[in-house]
Amino acid sequence: MSPSQIIVLATPVFFLLIAIELAVGYRRQRNTYRLADAVSSISLGMLSQTSAVFTRLLRIGIYTALFEHVALWRNDAFWTSLPGWLLALVFYDLCYYWLHRMGHESAVLWAAHAVHHQSQDYNLSTALRQTSSGALLGWIFYVPMALAGVPPLVFGVVALIDLLYQFWVHTEQVGKLGWFDRWFCSPSNHRVHHAVNDAYLDKNYGGILILWDRVFGTFKDEDDQEKCVYGTRGLLNSWDPLWANAQVYAGLAHDSWHARSWLDKLKVWVKPPGWRPADVAERFPKPAFSMAQMQLYHPPMSRAAQWFALVQFALLLAGVAAFLWQADAAPLARNAIWFAVLLTVQWSLGAVMQGRITALMALMLQSGALATATSAMGFMEWHWLFKPLTMVFALFLVAASAYSPSARGQFNPKTLLLLAAALAGSLAGDVFLMFQGFFIPGLVSFLVAHLFYVALFKSGQAWFPHRGALAATLGIGVAMYAFLWAGGLPPALRAPVAAYVLVIALMAAQAIGRATVLRDAPSLLVAVGAGFFMLSDSLLATNRFVMPLPMAQVWVLATYYAAQALIVSGWLASKASVPATAVQRTGVTGEEGRTHMARDRAPNIAPGTASRSS
């Protein structure tokens, strides 16, 4: 049985203990759980386990190679005896102590470990909140065990024991335990470790034994007079699992890039967390940490969003369990595809809880991911469900966004109909291309959809306001058409494909030109989406008419759904950003309102360049 399968079998025990802790907290009127925080923490734990499928070489492979080739003492019989197992567990715990300690004393190691500390709550769900990048450098600290000849099997088992032990110490419902606290890592000791209070900072690193902290001078007792405050001093303030893993790395990369000294560029990564070169700190100052200003991150969630999150979380948990159970025996490509689906669900769930996207947008993204995966895996009955369903969700999303009370007056009915028509044309094209012999109707449907997109992107703007973008997209279109012609494009399809290439190039040019005028994030999303459309169609045509591409369905559908999602989200975001007062003052809505306001601010500038100049 693999470690991943053991984690799956242990999961019901984890949730049983979480339920008990939750019930005890409510009974004592000291509940320590918040829905979004707990879902985020457990989701990060899932991501840690699913990503570990691809880092097993670093975690076990390197250890095994070292054991086989450079072990200084080989005696498997000893290590598999009871004294050997106990010694190996203590040995592992000592190595873990130094990994854990250096994870707080070296910035690059903290970048991985910080994920575990980001929660501002402290409960058993926090224990499951684990990094996905720890294996990159963490293996170094266990090299002494390989040199000592601890067999890989023994190493893997004691590592799992050490990890599972640490689950129960993440709770506020268990007080001090007397003599136990003096020898072992306990809830009281580990609460200190997770606190950001000055008195508690960077203390109590032990995994099973707190003895290491007493020996090496890093022990601190929990003080009844000073309540632990949890989190990190650089607050995450997000439920995004990707950003949770990347936040500290991004800060280090920023400081390293801007440091003038080459030595400082390196020191940023190895110095203690928080160290910054003087020139970087001067140019990019950060406020000093203040406990008084440390606020609880708790964006509001409607009751509907809470139920959506619970249902999604349950489905995600089942999907992760199924993935982990078969991952060790599955091909790498298959694992990568399903990992991408799970990651899409995790990201979109976090975005809904944070209020960044709506539930319908999340369903559109997830359905698109499932349509892509089921096509690549050959599950055609499911593919026939999810492929049209994705565009249905997109249509419902547009309708719901347009008619929601908060969006009243922001949408021009004409642009709303154009967007809906483009999505409906895409839906028709999706359905036609699902069946043999309907390529031409599918092509025509997408051609019509792109024409509607061109008209949509023209709304409130001049025709092709950026001539360079027009020349570039037309040039790419001509090159692509020549490539298809030379690759064997059937004569009967030359004219329809030429028309299609021209229209999609014009669509991309109009979207990019619009972005150069408006110069805002929503219009940039739309322009990138149009670019993804060109890429998707190029991949589709190459695979169909020139040569088969490896995993073609993955690349074609992934870029296609990325295009649709970017365009829809960018367009809806552009409407949500229009102030209601501006609409009332100008008497127009949507993009026309923003263009009108830009001209009000720069009345002497030609209409075609007003927004760009202002």
Side-chain angles (χ1 to χ4, degrees), residues 262-397:
W262 283 99
L263 182 60
D264 283 345
K265 290 179 183 292
L266 175 63
K267 288 164 68 175
V268 162
W269 299 91
V270 297
K271 280 279 191 175
W275 183 87
R276 307 181 76 202
D279 59 309
V280 175
E282 181 180 356
R283 283 182 290 156
F284 305 97
K286 292 182 180 180
F289 173 76
S290 170
M291 288 279 289
Q293 296 178 357
M294 190 172 179
Q295 297 182 349
L296 185 69
Y297 180 69
H298 191 60
M301 288 178 64
S302 67
R303 184 59 60 88
Q306 292 176 26
W307 278 108
F308 178 83
L310 282 171
V311 173
Q312 287 263 299
F313 175 74
L315 294 173
L316 175 63
L317 184 62
V320 168
F323 173 82
L324 291 176
W325 192 261
Q326 55 78 49
D328 290 333
L332 179 62
R334 181 187 181 96
N335 282 340
I337 291 170
W338 288 117
F339 174 77
V341 172
L342 293 171
L343 188 58
T344 301
V345 176
Q346 288 177 282
W347 181 88
S348 57
L349 173 56
V352 170
M353 295 193 301
Q354 198 169 328
R356 295 171 61 189
I357 65 174
T358 65
L360 281 170
M361 173 57 80
L363 291 173
M364 176 188 174
L365 294 173
Q366 294 166 11
S367 181
L370 286 167
T372 303
T374 51
S375 175
M377 294 292 100
F379 301 146
M380 299 315 298
E381 293 82 358
W382 289 103
H383 176 67
W384 293 337
L385 169 65
F386 289 116
K387 190 174 185 181
L389 188 60
T390 305
M391 287 299 101
V392 171
F393 281 135
L395 286 166
F396 275 115
L397 170 61

Side-chain angles (χ1 to χ4, degrees), residues 19 33 54 125 148 159 170 222 239 269 272 277 306 344 381 385 398 400 427 454 510 574:
Y33 281 87
F54 307 98
S125 74
H170 293 80
E222 185 178 21
W239 304 133
W269 299 91
Q306 292 176 26
T344 301
E381 293 82 358
L385 169 65
V398 171
L427 172 60
V454 172
Q510 187 66 40
S574 71

